[in-house]
Amino acid sequence: MSGALRPVVLLCALPAAFFVAFFLAPMAVVLIASLTTSGGQPTFAHYVRILADAYHWDVLWVTFRIGALTTLVCVLIGYPLAWYLVRVVQWRPWRRFCVILLVVPLFTSNIVRSFGWMVLLGRNGLVNDGLIGLGLIERPMRFLGTELGILIGLVYILLPFIVLAVGNALAKVDPALEHASADLGATPAGTFRTIIFPLSLPGLMAGAVMVFMLAVSAYVTPALLSGGRITVFSMLIFQQYSSVFDFNYGGALSITMLVLTLALVAIAGRLSEPRRA
């Protein structure tokens, strides 16, 4: 090994070892468990059981529907919010304060935040009291134990990922491109459609992928806000590991969830790629 390459190898060795020890090795253990029986015999029975049972497909549908809706709502709210922070706010102290306000909840446990939403979304919570006070509803709505309640909790938790990703992409757009577009007679809407949005799309897609994967794999928020009435796939996996102690079947559920999620992300990535003539 040449002297020039030795420092590079040493720098990469520790991250590579960490990646192997805490990602590849656990994934290999889960994969092997999913392909064996409790006695260690090779089998595909766990996957056949999952794919042949309509209940698992129903749970998967609910899981991915909640994940897709969470991503859509985060995009619809997060993009304008990122635009406001990057393009509208000119006073830097106010911008820093808004970013801090956006990021601070990430330092709080998901359990604490979910319990807070349980209080806010209860029949006598602040949300129902506010809606009744505004005259929008006549009696309290049921948020807990519904997909809407889970959606609200997930959007609150995952919104910062979209805002930070899109904000970083918008900040990198060269203002000279917008000035040139305006000089050529383009309207602000046309400039946004043809220049700004395409250039910010990679950041938007990165944030959307993060939100989707975190939403479909979330356990704490759906478990607390569902009240046991709605089951998502992560809850099935947790039950197999913590209650049933069927690690082989739980591993098959985990691998199935991972493969389907990566497949959907890959399809979304292919669809979002710019078409070449």
Side-chain angles (χ1 to χ4, degrees):
M1 182 186 300
S2 65
L5 291 178
R6 186 176 293 110
V8 177
V9 173
L10 292 177
L11 286 174
C12 296
L14 183 59
F18 182 88
F19 180 75
V20 171
F22 293 99
F23 182 79
L24 292 184
M27 286 300 302
V29 171
V30 172
L31 178 61
I32 293 172
S34 70
L35 294 172
T36 56
T37 63
S38 57
Q41 299 298 321
T43 181
F44 288 99
H46 305 305
Y47 291 100
V48 173
R49 176 183 173 187
I50 294 171
L51 299 177
D53 191 350
Y55 173 72
H56 292 98
W57 288 105
D58 291 338
V59 175
L60 277 171
W61 169 243
V62 171
T63 303
F64 287 122
R65 181 172 69 236
I66 292 176
L69 289 174
T70 301
T71 305
L72 177 61
V73 175
C74 284
V75 168
L76 294 178
I77 298 176
Y79 198 102
L81 182 56
W83 180 274
Y84 170 78
L85 292 176
V86 174
R87 293 305 184 93
V88 177
V89 177
Q90 300 298 326
W91 192 38
R92 289 189 176 181
W94 174 244
R95 180 185 298 170
R96 292 195 186 100
F97 175 77
C98 291
V99 173
I100 292 173
L101 195 65
L102 182 72
V103 174
V104 161
L106 295 177
F107 295 94
T108 306
S109 169
N110 284 349
I111 299 177
V112 175
R113 286 184 283 178
S114 297
F115 272 119
W117 277 110
M118 290 178 67
V119 175
L120 292 173
L121 297 176
R123 291 184 61 84
N124 298 318
L126 182 63
V127 174
N128 271 314
D129 289 346
L131 293 175
I132 293 175
L134 294 173
L136 299 178
I137 58 175
E138 297 181 357
R139 48 186 165 180
M141 292 179 60
R142 184 167 70 88
F143 290 102
L144 300 179
T146 65
E147 291 187 18
L148 178 59
I150 298 174
L151 180 65
I152 292 173
L154 289 176
V155 168
Y156 167 74
I157 291 172
L158 301 178
L159 182 63
F161 293 96
I162 286 283
V163 177
L164 295 176
V166 174
N168 183 59
L170 288 174
K172 293 181 179 179
V173 177
D174 190 351
L177 297 175
E178 301 176 53
H179 298 325
S181 177
D183 291 341
L184 293 173
T187 62
T191 300
F192 173 81
R193 185 179 66 255
T194 59
I195 296 178
I196 300 176
F197 183 75
L199 291 177
S200 64
L201 188 58
L204 179 62
M205 287 302 302
V209 168
M210 285 191 293
V211 169
F212 179 77
M213 297 192 72
L214 291 172
V216 298
S217 62
Y219 169 76
V220 172
T221 302
L224 293 178
L225 297 182
S226 69
R229 295 185 176 91
I230 299 174
T231 302
V232 295
F233 217 73
S234 59
M235 296 167 65
L236 287 182
I237 297 172
F238 182 80
Q239 290 169 4
Q240 294 301 317
Y241 278 102
S242 65
S243 301
V244 184
F245 299 107
D246 190 344
F247 302 112
N248 304 94
Y249 185 55
L253 290 171
S254 302
I255 296 298
T256 301
M257 182 68 177
L258 176 63
V259 170
L260 291 177
T261 302
L262 292 178
L264 288 176
V265 170
I267 293 172
R270 291 288 295 177
L271 294 177
S272 64
E273 289 181 357
R275 298 183 181 274
R276 296 179 180 179

